Amino acid sequence: MVVFLQGRHNIGTIFLIMDKCFQQGFDAKSEQGFICTKLDSLINWVRANSIWPQPMGLACCAIELMGVGGSRFDIGRFGMEVMRFSPRQSDCMIVAGTVTYKMAGSVKRVYDQMAAPKWVVAMGACACSGGMFRTYSTLQGVDKVIPVDVYVAGCPTRPEALIDALMSLQNKIRSERSARGLFSK
Amino acid sequence: MEKEKILSEMPFLSECKSSDGILSFDCPPRDLCRAAQILRDRFECQSLNDISALDMGSGMKSGRFAAVYHFFSHTKKKYVRLAAVCESAEAPKLPSLCSVFKGADWLEREAFDMMGIEFENHPRLARILMWDSYPWHPLRKDFPLEGREAPLPPSFEGNEEAAKIVPAPEEGGPFHSPSCGVAFVSKKEPRSRGGDCGKDIEP
Amino acid sequence: MEKEFTYPEPASLEADRLGEKMILNIGPSHPATHGVLRMKLELDGDLITRADPIVGQLHRGQEKMAENLTYNQFIPFTDRLDYLAPLCNNIAFVQCVEKIAGIGVTERCKAVRVICCELSRIASHLVGIAAYGMDAGSWTVFMYCFTQREKLCTLFEQLTGARMTTSYARVGGLARDIPEGWLGNVNSFANQFLPALDEIDALITRNKIFIDRTAGIGVVSPEQAMQWGLTGANLRGSGVASDLRKDVPYLGYENYEFDVPIGVNGDCYDRWLVRIEEMRQSIRIVRQAIEKMPDGPVNVADPRISLPKKEKVLRDMEDLINNFVLVTQGPDIPAGDAYFEAENPKGALGFYIVSKGGGVPYRVKIRAPSFVSLSAMQEILPGHHMSDMAVILGSFDFVLGECDR
């Protein structure tokens, strides 16, 4: 199925959608192959189900992040197994671990290099608020340098909690008004 | 007996008491290099396992800073400990052991970074855990746990507005100040309920 | 018959030189650097001519923290040192404190600690070889290793309530006795682990690509290794038979039968073999410990050190006061200093604790094996190709939480 979008600035965007779940609820034959839907929900559906995480693995939580990618928890069930270490290829930065002042500049730089739309998950107590490390060298929460969408508790966060956080990120994405951002400016 | 042999070989050492059974000696700083070399060559101490820098308290005029060296013999399976006390409290100095043990390189850099002990003849004495422009030596006893304001590290280049280095909140933490065992009372954790900082958080 | 293989020539220094130097920065956010290590390399074409590891991106001030916490309060921080083997760190720290105070722990406590140490050694080595395999281009071994590691995490969870940050040891004993049926679970883990390890072994160890990438690469001579102060599997990979469990036995390791595998060539391949074999030996130790697990209490009977039983705290005023004092002020450790090194999966984790009496240490110096391994990189990396860097870093199996503290 192919959807054509024509924007104000003549941006032709083509979505090639071959997923069954989108066709659920629509009888493609009776509608002669056309589907009417809101552009927002189309874009959000695409974005929410193909989050490519940027594993900003800093400390202990990074090991649980690896565990999420492993066979028992298998983040691939949610379309997020494509861990990309290049910020240009990823949508969601998972800040897993303690952010120190020495590292914070690099975290900020990697975040700046990510292409919009982008989201941030602060994984674990340290990334949320500095956690147990209230010391001279630790940034007290990554939200001091980059905006955070989802905070996850835990020290370290359990894999189930991270999956839950990513699912709530999906919910957040589903409620965004994406089309407006696409054509503005 | 190992102890007598070491003392007869190196008369400048003086034995000091230890509570863990490791052979311990006090060593004057100027003889430190020689002592390490003799330990390596004649007493089979092949590796320098650790250098611990100590701060005996800011009230001391001399002998405030010390470094404790732990050598290990892989053949005799024994540790030897040397302690060297810096003469000056303002500009503590010790000779570098890099020419005797290569592993001393980073351990000395760490001691320099954390305590501010200068190691003479070190090939590249620079900060290692903190960044180069950091102005303090954090493990000194007069430096507070929560830290002090400092310039940002170079990785923030072009992003100077992004963050500031400020003392970390300590209130409500389980901390004991080292001397009297009283909990710190300083800035509140920003997300804690109540108080000034918590006002912008919606219930 | 297994065919003998020959080692390839190490990267030639002179032949490939261009004479033009280039500085390449890798990290601190890079998959090959295992965390937040930053490498500044000077390259000549593809050859590394100078390597400068930049650490400290995870420096959290743990030593400063220790000076402001009681001994037992610091135990959760030791979890976050080498977060791949937290139980080992807990135990190494409390051993050092017990050394100052002259506390002898009970036999049952020793046996439980041995099981904990060896299980977390396996857990740590599993992540180590998983990451190492990934660095050498094998994704499958990662999945196999993590399958096993998850089983271990479940065991740790049954024992301590947490998958990774266990905080299980206490000065003079353990947080609690082992739960019922746990030893049986450990036993069945051990039974299924050995065939699984053989499978991992078969996947990689005789793999032509893996051997080509690791054999003859990153050679460290025994003298070099000792000069740099390398310890643990990295030192044994260079052919030095040095294992603190045998040399300076603690926790009654002298009563267990196990072998210390050592390498011959000191290259990346040998370090791999040593780690694989160490896991087998760990299983051997675990089985012996389960077999002769003594009965009795896990905490020393000294009320100045161990917390009273919960039932008594709820009933008796004296025990309640004792409990309160021990928790708020910590056990009183006499003045003195002690250095203790434990054979951790990454090498010898040393603690040098200076106590001036009271419940709070005056100074805690952590001798981090990863820090020492990384310091040797400036000598080991030059002369190798850029593509070998990932393999060499992987073979040394460091962890940045411990390196930077």
Side-chain angles (χ1 to χ4, degrees):
Chain A
M1 180 176 66
V2 182
V3 181
F4 292 95
L5 301 174
Q6 196 72 35
R8 225 173 347 127
H9 296 281
N10 211 16
I11 320 158
T13 317
I14 299 172
F15 291 97
L16 189 59
I17 299 157
M18 306 197 303
D19 199 299
K20 277 204 180 117
C21 63
F22 189 66
Q23 292 173 2
Q24 278 170 2
F26 298 97
D27 188 351
K29 272 187 192 138
S30 67
E31 309 261 349
Q32 279 94 39
F34 285 93
I35 293 170
C36 288
T37 181
K38 283 195 298 186
L39 192 52
D40 269 347
S41 38
L42 176 73
I43 293 171
N44 290 343
W45 174 76
V46 171
R47 283 181 179 170
N49 289 296
S50 64
I51 299 175
W52 286 16
Q54 211 285 328
M56 181 52 83
L58 303 169
C60 333
C61 285
I63 307 300
E64 290 295 54
L65 185 57
M66 280 160 86
V68 175
S71 40
R72 177 164 160 202
F73 295 99
D74 191 15
I75 200 177
R77 293 176 292 159
F78 306 94
M80 300 167 197
E81 80 278 21
V82 206
M83 299 269 181
R84 282 289 169 264
F85 285 90
S86 162
R88 303 278 190 214
Q89 296 172 353
S90 39
D91 317 296
C92 167
M93 182 195 259
I94 302 176
V95 185
T98 320
V99 188
T100 61
Y101 288 118
K102 195 169 177 177
M103 186 64 195
S106 310
V107 174
K108 168 106 175 101
R109 178 169 296 189
V110 171
Y111 176 77
D112 289 344
Q113 284 170 352
M114 285 167 65
K118 53 190 170 186
W119 300 276
V120 176
V121 175
M123 177 181 178
C126 294
C128 293
S129 69
M132 59 203 288
F133 296 101
R134 301 187 192 175
T135 57
Y136 54 90
S137 60
T138 312
L139 182 72
Q140 300 296 308
V142 71
D143 51 6
K144 298 252 163 78
V145 287
I146 56 176
V148 175
D149 294 277
V150 183
Y151 296 88
V152 202
C155 188
T157 301
R158 290 181 64 92
E160 299 94 327
L162 180 66
I163 291 175
D164 180 57
L166 288 169
M167 286 165 77
S168 42
L169 179 67
Q170 282 183 325
N171 286 339
K172 182 181 177 180
I173 294 172
R174 286 192 193 108
S175 66
E176 277 175 2
R177 306 201 49 188
S178 324
R180 186 194 279 173
L182 206 61
F183 298 119
S184 64
K185 216 174 11 173
Chain B
M1 203 32 209
E2 189 82 10
K3 186 172 76 187
E4 279 80 45
K5 259 167 78 185
I6 291 179
L7 279 173
S8 67
E9 194 83 41
M10 293 178 280
F12 49 83
L13 295 184
S14 56
E15 201 198 343
C16 57
K17 70 173 172 71
S18 69
S19 43
D20 57 352
I22 294 177
L23 276 184
S24 312
F25 302 97
D26 273 327
C27 180
R30 62 175 183 282
D31 295 317
L32 196 59
C33 255
R34 200 146 54 98
Q37 200 152 9
I38 294 173
L39 279 178
R40 186 192 68 184
D41 296 339
R42 310 235 187 107
F43 293 95
E44 301 172 31
C45 289
Q46 294 97 341
S47 44
L48 168 62
N49 270 17
D50 187 32
I51 301 177
S52 317
L54 294 182
D55 178 0
M56 303 317 284
S58 47
M60 299 182 78
K61 282 275 175 290
S62 70
R64 177 179 170 192
F65 293 102
V68 180
Y69 297 76
H70 287 97
F71 301 90
F72 185 60
S73 165
H74 289 287
T75 42
K76 290 183 183 163
K77 326 289 186 197
K78 282 269 187 297
Y79 292 98
V80 177
R81 175 189 296 147
L82 287 189
V85 181
C86 307
E87 278 154 17
S88 153
E90 280 77 44
K93 270 192 188 126
L94 282 177
S96 166
L97 293 190
C98 284
S99 51
V100 190
F101 290 101
K102 287 174 182 166
D105 182 354
W106 276 28
L107 296 171
E108 283 174 356
R109 277 178 69 184
E110 191 203 337
F112 166 71
D113 188 357
M114 293 289 120
M115 285 291 185
I117 300 176
E118 293 239 9
F119 289 88
E120 287 162 322
N121 299 326
H122 189 282
R124 201 181 111 215
L125 195 64
R127 280 182 181 271
I128 186 161
L129 294 178
M130 306 307 280
W131 54 97
D132 279 329
S133 54
Y134 193 72
W136 319 101
H137 296 291
L139 275 187
R140 288 191 174 185
K141 285 286 173 190
D142 47 9
F143 185 82
L145 171 66
E146 63 265 33
R148 293 188 182 134
E149 283 182 30
L152 286 166
S155 57
F156 273 99
E157 210 172 299
N159 263 324
E160 277 82 3
E161 297 302 304
K164 252 200 287 209
I165 297 183
V166 288
E170 301 287 342
E171 198 192 291
F175 308 107
H176 297 252
S177 77
S179 49
C180 51
V182 177
F184 278 115
V185 183
S186 65
K187 221 182 117 200
K188 240 190 178 143
E189 218 282 328
R191 289 165 189 78
S192 64
R193 298 253 166 146
D196 297 334
C197 314
K199 269 185 186 160
D200 52 345
I201 301 173
E202 283 170 24
Chain C
M1 274 298 282
E2 282 178 357
K3 226 179 118 195
E4 281 292 308
F5 60 86
T6 51
Y7 285 115
E9 289 287 309
S12 62
L13 265 175
E14 297 306 319
D16 297 352
R17 289 220 160 162
L18 290 170
E20 282 172 22
K21 296 288 172 66
M22 158 186 165
I23 303 283
L24 184 67
N25 175 66
I26 299 174
S29 168
H30 189 274
T33 55
H34 293 208
V36 286
L37 171 67
R38 183 177 154 208
M39 296 291 288
K40 221 161 107 187
L41 301 175
E42 189 190 75
L43 298 175
D44 184 334
D46 200 19
L47 273 179
I48 300 170
T49 52
R50 207 158 56 84
D52 186 11
I54 297 172
V55 299
Q57 277 91 349
L58 196 52
H59 175 64
R60 308 185 266 197
Q62 299 220 4
E63 290 178 6
K64 189 84 188 171
M65 211 81 177
E67 295 169 9
N68 293 290
L69 296 166
T70 63
Y71 292 95
N72 278 334
Q73 275 179 332
F74 186 62
I75 290 168
F77 288 85
T78 60
D79 287 338
R80 278 100 184 148
L81 285 172
D82 173 2
Y83 36 76
L84 299 175
L87 280 168
C88 285
N89 305 339
N90 297 162
I91 290 164
F93 176 72
V94 296
Q95 290 261 334
C96 189
V97 180
E98 284 158 10
K99 212 172 161 186
I100 302 183
I103 305 166
V105 294
T106 61
E107 287 303 314
R108 184 177 174 83
C109 171
K110 279 185 190 170
V112 177
R113 283 185 183 180
V114 164
I115 295 181
C116 291
C117 277
E118 295 311 315
L119 286 182
S120 35
R121 187 181 317 278
I122 296 171
S124 167
H125 280 350
L126 279 174
V127 179
I129 63 172
Y132 185 12
M134 241 158 66
D135 288 343
S138 154
W139 177 255
T140 325
V141 67
F142 171 85
M143 288 295 181
Y144 278 55
C145 288
F146 264 76
T147 312
Q148 292 304 317
R149 193 187 140 82
E150 286 299 337
K151 291 178 183 164
L152 273 171
C153 283
T154 314
L155 283 180
F156 293 151
E157 201 176 343
Q158 288 165 0
L159 181 67
T160 70
R163 283 160 51 85
M164 273 174 61
T165 42
T166 50
S167 313
Y168 182 52
R170 292 287 183 277
V171 176
L174 298 165
R176 62 192 79 82
D177 204 347
I178 47 176
E180 212 170 303
W182 189 71
L183 289 179
N185 295 349
V186 173
N187 209 12
S188 48
F189 166 79
N191 290 339
Q192 61 84 42
F193 177 69
L194 284 180
L197 183 61
D198 289 340
E199 213 172 357
I200 295 168
D201 200 3
L203 259 178
I204 291 284
T205 307
R206 289 278 152 184
N207 184 314
K208 176 91 173 67
I209 302 169
F210 186 76
I211 293 173
D212 278 351
R213 289 212 54 189
T214 54
I217 300 295
V219 179
V220 186
S221 69
E223 293 76 33
Q224 229 180 349
M226 289 191 282
Q227 263 276 312
W228 280 102
L230 295 186
T231 42
N234 298 335
L235 181 63
R236 291 192 284 277
S238 295
V240 184
S242 176
D243 188 320
L244 292 171
R245 291 174 293 175
K246 289 260 186 209
D247 298 345
V248 197
Y250 54 99
L251 290 179
Y253 267 113
E254 65 272 24
N255 304 327
Y256 296 93
E257 234 175 79
F258 63 102
D259 299 320
V260 178
I262 58 169
V264 179
N265 302 299
D267 54 3
C268 294
Y269 188 60
D270 279 8
R271 287 189 280 275
W272 167 276
L273 295 177
V274 165
R275 290 219 163 77
I276 295 271
E277 188 52 38
E278 266 187 18
M279 288 197 268
R280 294 207 176 91
Q281 297 300 332
S282 290
I283 290 286
R284 250 179 97 183
I285 298 174
V286 168
R287 280 183 171 157
Q288 291 172 44
I290 293 176
E291 209 167 90
K292 52 185 176 191
M293 173 67 70
D295 285 330
V298 288
N299 287 334
V300 289
D302 192 343
R304 285 167 302 170
I305 290 161
S306 308
L307 291 177
K309 282 219 168 71
K310 189 74 183 169
E311 308 88 76
K312 289 176 104 184
V313 173
L314 294 176
R315 216 175 41 224
D316 295 341
M317 193 62 201
E318 287 75 22
D319 286 312
L320 180 67
I321 294 170
N322 188 16
N323 189 79
F324 183 76
V325 168
L326 272 182
V327 169
T328 49
Q329 292 171 15
D332 188 13
I333 303 294
D337 58 339
Y339 183 67
F340 176 76
E341 278 184 352
E343 183 69 32
N344 260 31
K346 304 283 184 295
L349 174 72
F351 284 97
Y352 179 60
I353 302 181
V354 181
S355 161
K356 290 199 165 180
V360 179
Y362 184 74
R363 168 92 166 99
V364 176
K365 170 73 177 38
I366 303 160
R367 187 254 181 212
S370 306
F371 185 74
V372 176
S373 307
L374 272 174
S375 74
M377 286 303 141
Q378 39 189 325
E379 182 166 293
I380 294 162
L381 281 180
H384 287 93
H385 286 291
M386 177 60 213
S387 51
D388 296 333
M389 186 202 75
V391 181
I392 294 175
L393 289 182
S395 79
F396 274 90
D397 186 24
F398 50 83
V399 77
L400 265 296
E402 178 185 68
C403 169
D404 296 345
R405 282 153 285 160

